[in-house]
Amino acid sequence: DTAVSQTPKYLVTQMGNDKSIKCEQNLGHDTMYWYKQDSKKFLKIMFSYNNKELIINETVPNRFSPKSPDKAHLNLHINSLELGDSAVYFCASALGHLGNTIYFGEGSWLTVV
Amino acid sequence: GESVGLHLPTLSVQEGDNSIINCAYSNSASDYFIWYKQESGKGPQFIIDIRSNMDKRQGQRVTVLLNKTVKHLSLQIAATQPGDSAVYFCADSLSGGYNKLIFGAGTRLAVHP
């Protein structure tokens, strides 16, 4: 009955590979996010979708491409992985996009070797 | 699991004491503020939030204080318990800004028996 679930939880891959992280929420929310947490635990927003429409697109390399097939899902695809992409990626969701509580998933630990 | 955030400020308290975690924000236009707790290997978990039309809000064992004049936010935890040990993040956003949370650096709370 996990509210925001993301898979895989752990991912180790080689430089240059392409990988995807999937996210699903069963909270009935219409806004979803991807955040990145670096090794110093700094959390930074990457993308946000509201009703499948991209509303936040921070300065992220275009190797990162989010895809939202419906408002309950937001996947993150990463092309040509680099060492610096190693981080924890958190999916999150909220109801609306005007100052409501954002709920986070448990994170996906990506290690690029 | 993720690497330890060695650069995080740490607050050490005795079990049963009250804890105060402080946070400064930079955007004077922010009108929504939130505290998250992140335990090792998990995602940020919502604790309490407050909007800019309030200066204090209480939850169960937690109180958030907002001082807009000096752009300061604090989280008070009463009767701190070992289960409170975690990294605590404050975040702020502009409610008309697509709920784009800007996170602070985080504070590690260590509770000693």
Side-chain angles (χ1 to χ4, degrees):
Chain A
D1 59 347
T2 304
V4 182
S5 59
Q6 47 186 116
T7 56
K9 188 169 177 69
Y10 300 102
L11 181 57
V12 181
T13 188
Q14 290 187 322
M15 284 175 55
N17 284 350
D18 302 338
K19 291 294 177 185
S20 293
I21 307 172
K22 296 185 176 182
C23 179
E24 175 182 7
Q25 54 90 8
N26 62 5
L27 295 166
H29 291 167
D30 55 1
T31 305
M32 296 185 72
Y33 308 82
W34 278 108
Y35 278 80
K36 179 181 179 179
Q37 187 171 46
D38 62 21
S39 58
K40 296 177 182 169
K41 298 192 78 69
F42 183 66
L43 267 163
K44 192 174 190 311
I45 190 168
M46 300 173 68
F47 301 104
S48 176
Y49 273 75
N50 174 252
N51 281 317
K52 303 195 298 175
E53 180 185 348
L54 181 66
I55 58 172
I56 295 176
N57 185 351
E58 290 295 283
T59 308
V60 177
N62 57 15
R63 298 181 295 103
F64 288 78
S65 53
K67 285 190 171 48
S68 181
D70 55 62
K71 65 180 186 180
H73 295 83
L74 180 61
N75 304 322
L76 182 65
H77 188 74
I78 314 171
N79 289 327
S80 303
L81 278 155
E82 300 177 357
L83 293 177
D85 297 332
S86 296
V88 186
Y89 292 86
F90 287 101
C91 179
S93 73
L95 186 62
H97 54 81
L98 299 175
N100 289 320
T101 305
I102 295 177
Y103 295 91
F104 285 81
E106 294 290 87
S108 293
W109 271 251
L110 172 65
T111 302
V112 183
V113 297
Chain B
E2 78 277 21
S3 60
V4 174
L6 295 176
H7 300 278
L8 286 176
T10 299
L11 174 66
S12 294
V13 299
Q14 291 293 123
E15 181 179 356
D17 286 352
N18 296 333
S19 303
I20 300 176
I21 301 172
N22 295 304
C23 178
Y25 63 94
S26 58
N27 187 355
S28 56
S30 290
D31 56 6
Y32 177 69
F33 306 88
I34 190 166
W35 280 98
Y36 285 93
K37 170 187 179 184
Q38 187 177 23
E39 296 175 278
S40 181
K42 295 190 175 182
Q45 178 186 1
F46 168 78
I47 303 174
I48 192 167
D49 59 3
I50 188 169
R51 297 191 188 273
S52 59
N53 60 350
M54 302 173 69
D55 52 22
K56 179 179 179 179
R57 191 170 186 215
Q58 288 184 288
Q60 188 178 16
R61 282 202 306 119
V62 294
T63 300
V64 55
L65 299 177
L66 174 63
N67 185 332
K68 295 182 289 293
T69 303
V70 294
K71 292 184 285 188
H72 184 267
L73 197 64
S74 69
L75 177 71
Q76 300 177 0
I77 304 173
T80 313
Q81 302 168 0
D84 295 326
S85 294
V87 177
Y88 289 81
F89 293 94
C90 69
D92 63 285
S93 72
L94 186 57
S95 58
Y98 297 116
N99 226 9
K100 180 177 158 182
L101 285 178
I102 306 298
F103 279 82
T107 297
R108 186 178 301 281
L109 177 65
V111 182
H112 303 285

